[in-house]
């Protein structure tokens, strides 16, 4: 008799387990990319709460298996492999471009759809045999560069100077920015580089000033982006100064202080969600996310990076619902993963916190810069909405 | 290029150069006395302003616990009355930190003394037990400490930069702030002081003697261990002061020490790791070179600066007679 009970229990447990959808998550909760990864990790408990309250997806429980990659590519790849073997229906993550690139061959080989939370365009472009399985939510540099150049053109800027990090970030920006300038007929008169750890950029600043550009873009992220701006101002530059969305954090304002007043930068609309016009499509979704995040982690605690994880779920959920009609993950996991990928690609007009997602066979980012970027100005140490493009 | 730009570049180069010079002086000093190439000097330098910022904000920095932990190890290594210094120093440091929260003047002092204490404890715990080892083994230990301290800096202070208020506000002339003048003055003063200390004072000569010949120095009544501690204390003091003076100009962050330390190392190599005036001049040369390359070819600046090492090392190896080890 006892044995029968045990068998029954095992059957019941496995039936329950079969009903659960496992979503693998890789985040950089520690290491240099932690400032991106921690808000992303913090977002998943919010998603879990929401899903549980709604009774799961199409009646099935959803379980998020979250692994930390310590901002390390090797660890991200190892985590991905483990999540795939544990039967994850999809992988979400991770925050950095190199680590995301490392994960692509793994998910492509195992035929598991993946939604990256990193910025680099090369993660989803071109959509080849491997990237067939890969989607992503954050805006690319290209998208943001388009917003900057559109803003410059609207202000009648003719000549532009550039100073950026002497690494992948600064080079990527230089490339997309230059291409975008050429397309709009603006002239790049100086292109300088500096290092995150540099203590002086006087030489570069003087070089730029001698060319007298109408505007300067600083292709840097975080607090090291302050130094060129301060040096340009100290050396008497009076033109417009643009930064990238890599500075959209409170630390930049804290270190920059008066030196960064008037800075123009492109940003995901969630940065200034409450200032958006009520017709802006993502305003309601963004405010909803912020409210949930701040209710759990405190006022002012949210950052734009966690919103990318929220967006990944907003895309994943309807795709899961549709895929569940076509295949049963408990019976045939491979078929379900393939169906889920097709349904992800079929995503049309999903309004999320950072824009409106419409994927196609050639476009696995699915954002238009008009919906996904706004121009922001630093005013009295706060972000102020300057321009929307739609 | 016109005269204004030339002038600004020269000024910028000298300003950067003296900072490298300060660290290069400390490196030469430590190497002369202990044969340790003090790679973690940049980290000691970084600890000072960041601890100061933390204290000013009313928080106790993680560096305090690091210093106390190393101090405890130091006390364990000593016998009898030798334990007095680490224990009293640690207790005093803790008390000072508790008092200095939110008090800028005391916080300045606390950050300074913390780094000095940490420098001496570093020597006593990590380098003194292996003082008979080869220069290479000591260098490996130093590199290891650099990596460890930088990692701890990230844990203690996070990845972002901080900017403490300058001691002196405003600009002296175009391109030179009063704070920059302060850094220049401090650099020249410490270069002169070190020169006089080793040439004129008995204690300085004793330090040099301990570096030249450990056995001979011992026979003359000089304790090489003590000499090492004093050298590290002086290096810690110089690193902490230059860190505190510089931070308002360049923003302090956990990674600030590495590049400064590396360029100071280039300068120290130009001086053959023995000569204070040449190391200092070398540092100014590095600063000027850097300033002009950043104007003409900013993308290749670091490569060109470190390329300076090649002729310097070539010259040193031609000049060197015999093999050290």
């Amino acid at each position: 008799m006892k044995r029968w009970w045990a068998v029954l229990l095992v059957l019941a447990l496995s039936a329950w387990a079969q009903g659960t959808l496992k979503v693998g998550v890789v985040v950089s909760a520690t290491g240099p990319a932690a400032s991106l990864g921690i808000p992303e990790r913090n977002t998943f408990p919010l998603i879990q709460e929401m899903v549980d309250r709604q009774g799961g997806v199409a009646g099935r429980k959803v379980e998020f298996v979250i692994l930390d990659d310590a901002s390390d590519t090797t660890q991200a790849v190892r985590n991905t492999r483990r999540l795939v073997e544990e039967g994850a229906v999809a992988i979400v993550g991770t925050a950095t471009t190199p680590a995301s690139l490392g994960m692509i061959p793994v998910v492509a080989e195992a035929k598991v759809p993946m939604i990256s939370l990193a910025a680099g365009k090369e993660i989803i472009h071109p959509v080849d045999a491997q990237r067939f399985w890969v989607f992503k939510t954050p805006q690319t540099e290209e998208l943001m560069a388009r917003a900057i150049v559109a803003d410059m053109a609207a202000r009648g800027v003719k000549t532009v100077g550039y100073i950026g990090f002497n690494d992948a970030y600064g080079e990527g920006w230089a490339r997309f920015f230059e291409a975008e300038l050429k397309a709009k007929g603006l002239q790049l008169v100086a292109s300088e580089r500096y290092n995150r750890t540099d203590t002086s950029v006087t030489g570069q600043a003087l070089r730029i000033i001698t060319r007298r550009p109408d505007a300067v873009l600083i292709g840097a992220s975080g607090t090291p982006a302050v130094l060129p701006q301060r040096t340009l101002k100290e050396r008497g530059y009076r033109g417009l100064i643009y930064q990238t969305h890599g500075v959209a954090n409170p630390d930049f304002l804290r270190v920059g202080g008066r030196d960064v007043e008037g800075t123009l930068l492109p940003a995901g609309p969630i940065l200034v969600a409450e200032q958006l016009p009520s017709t802006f499509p993502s305003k309601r979704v963004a405010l909803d996310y912020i409210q949930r995040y701040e209710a759990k982690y405190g006022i002012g605690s949210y950052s734009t990076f966690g919103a990318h994880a929220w967006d990944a779920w907003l895309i994943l959920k309807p795709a899961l619902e549709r895929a569940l009609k076509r295949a049963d993950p408990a019976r045939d996991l491979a078929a379900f993963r393939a169906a889920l990928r097709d349904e992800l690609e079929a995503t049309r007009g999903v309004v999320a916190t950072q824009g409106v997602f419409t994927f196609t066979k050639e476009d696995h980012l699915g954002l238009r810069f008009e919906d996904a970027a706004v121009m922001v100005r630093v005013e009295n140490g706060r972000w102020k909405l300057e321009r929307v493009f739609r | 290029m016109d005269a204004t730009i030339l002038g600004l570049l020269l000024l910028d180069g000298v300003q950067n150069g003296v900072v490298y010079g300060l660290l290069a002086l400390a490196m030469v000093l430590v190497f002369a006395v202990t044969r340790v190439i003090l790679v973690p000097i940049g980290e000691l330098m970084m600890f000072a302003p960041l601890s100061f910022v933390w204290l000013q904000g009313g928080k106790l920095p993680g560096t305090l616990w690091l210093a106390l932990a190393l101090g405890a190890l130091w006390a364990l290594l000593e016998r009898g009355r030798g334990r007095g210094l680490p224990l009293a120093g640690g207790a005093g440091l803790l008390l000072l930190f508790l008092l200095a929260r939110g008090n800028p003047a005391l916080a300045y002092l606390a950050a300074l003394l913390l780094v000095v204490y940490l420098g001496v404890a570093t020597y006593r715990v990590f380098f003194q037990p292996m003082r008979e080892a080869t220069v290479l083994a000591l260098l490996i230990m130093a590199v290891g400490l650099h990596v460890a301290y930088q990692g701890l800096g990230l844990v203690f202070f996070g990845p972002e930069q901080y900017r403490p208020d300058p001691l002196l506000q405003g600009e002296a002339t175009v391109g030179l702030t009063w704070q920059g003048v302060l850094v220049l003055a401090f650099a020249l003063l410490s270069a002169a002081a070190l020169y006089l200390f080793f040439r004129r004072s008995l204690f300085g000569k004793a330090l040099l003697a301990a570096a030249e010949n450990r056995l001979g120095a011992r026979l003359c009544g000089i304790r090489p261990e003590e000499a090492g501690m004093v050298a590290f204390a002086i290096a810690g003091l110089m690193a902490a002061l230059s860190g505190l003076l510089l931070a308002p100009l360049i923003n302090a962050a956990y990674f600030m020490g590495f590049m400064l330390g590396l360029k100071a190392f280039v300068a120290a190599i130009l001086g053959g790791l023995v000569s204070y005036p040449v190391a200092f001049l070398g540092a100014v040369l590095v600063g000027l070179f850097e300033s002009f390359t950043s104007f003409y070819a900013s993308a290749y600046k670091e490569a060109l600066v470190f390329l300076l090492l090649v002729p310097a090392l070539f010259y040193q190896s031609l000049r060197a007679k015999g093999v050290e080890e």
Side-chain angles (χ1 to χ4, degrees), chain A residues 72-73 76-77 94-104 118 122-123 168:
Chain A
D72 177 48
T73 304
V77 171
T94 180
T96 63
T97 300
S100 291
L101 287 174
M103 288 160 63
I104 292 175
E122 57 270 39
I123 297 168

Side-chain angles (χ1 to χ4, degrees), chain B residues 289-311:
Chain B
F289 190 72
E290 199 181 22
S291 174
F292 280 88
T293 47
S294 68
F295 183 81
Y296 283 110
S298 58
Y300 304 102
K301 189 192 76 182
E302 302 296 2
L304 291 170
V305 167
F306 289 110
L307 214 61
L308 270 182
L309 266 178
V310 177

Side-chain angles (χ1 to χ4, degrees), chain A residues 130-264:
Chain A
Q130 289 196 334
R131 290 176 178 82
F132 183 69
W133 295 92
V134 184
F135 303 84
K136 79 182 204 74
T137 52
Q139 298 89 337
T140 55
E141 289 103 338
E142 190 185 32
L143 207 74
M144 291 302 197
R146 202 167 290 159
I148 292 179
V149 176
D151 187 74
M152 284 177 172
R155 288 171 196 274
V157 169
K158 296 277 179 290
T159 51
V160 184
Y162 175 81
I163 174 166
F165 279 157
N166 204 356
D167 65 11
Y169 189 88
E171 284 304 321
W173 264 95
R175 209 169 66 237
F176 292 121
F177 184 55
E178 213 167 324
E180 213 51 53
L181 284 176
K182 205 171 274 175
K184 281 266 159 87
L186 278 72
Q187 200 193 349
L188 185 68
V189 292
S191 184
E192 301 296 317
R193 300 289 182 278
Y194 77 110
N195 300 297
R196 281 167 208 264
T197 52
D198 272 356
T199 53
S200 164
V201 292
T202 304
Q204 292 95 323
L206 289 173
R207 179 91 171 175
I208 290 173
I209 290 170
T210 54
R211 301 291 167 86
R212 303 176 183 282
D214 298 333
V216 175
L217 170 65
I218 298 168
S221 64
T223 42
V226 174
L227 183 66
Q229 186 159 359
R230 188 194 304 156
T231 311
L232 279 167
K233 284 212 167 155
E234 279 173 359
R235 294 287 76 83
Y237 180 70
R238 295 277 171 268
L240 297 168
I241 296 183
Y242 288 78
Q243 293 270 6
T244 70
H245 61 306
V247 302
N249 68 20
D251 292 303
F252 174 76
L253 296 178
R254 172 178 57 72
V255 173
R258 256 179 313 146
D259 296 323
V260 300
E261 275 296 307
T263 311
L264 294 160

Side-chain angles (χ1 to χ4, degrees), chain A residues 107-125:
Chain A
V107 294
E109 195 195 327
K111 301 198 186 317
V112 183
M114 159 176 155
I115 303 178
S116 168
L117 304 177
K121 189 191 179 189
E122 57 270 39
I123 297 168
I124 43 101
H125 186 86

Side-chain angles (χ1 to χ4, degrees), chain A residues 34-105:
Chain A
S35 58
L36 317 177
I38 290 170
E40 287 167 10
R41 188 199 56 198
N42 288 348
T43 298
F44 283 96
L46 303 178
I47 299 174
Q48 186 82 62
E49 276 169 24
M50 181 176 69
V51 174
D52 289 348
R53 210 173 308 130
Q54 292 167 348
V57 173
R60 289 175 197 245
K61 272 183 158 306
V62 180
E63 184 195 354
F64 294 97
V65 184
I66 304 172
L67 297 180
D68 174 23
D69 66 20
S71 309
D72 177 48
T73 304
T74 320
Q75 190 60 39
V77 171
R78 211 178 298 145
N79 288 346
T80 311
R81 204 159 274 147
R82 199 178 123 194
L83 291 168
V84 166
E85 281 162 11
E86 284 181 7
V89 294
I91 306 284
V92 177
T94 180
T96 63
T97 300
S100 291
L101 287 174
M103 288 160 63
I104 292 175

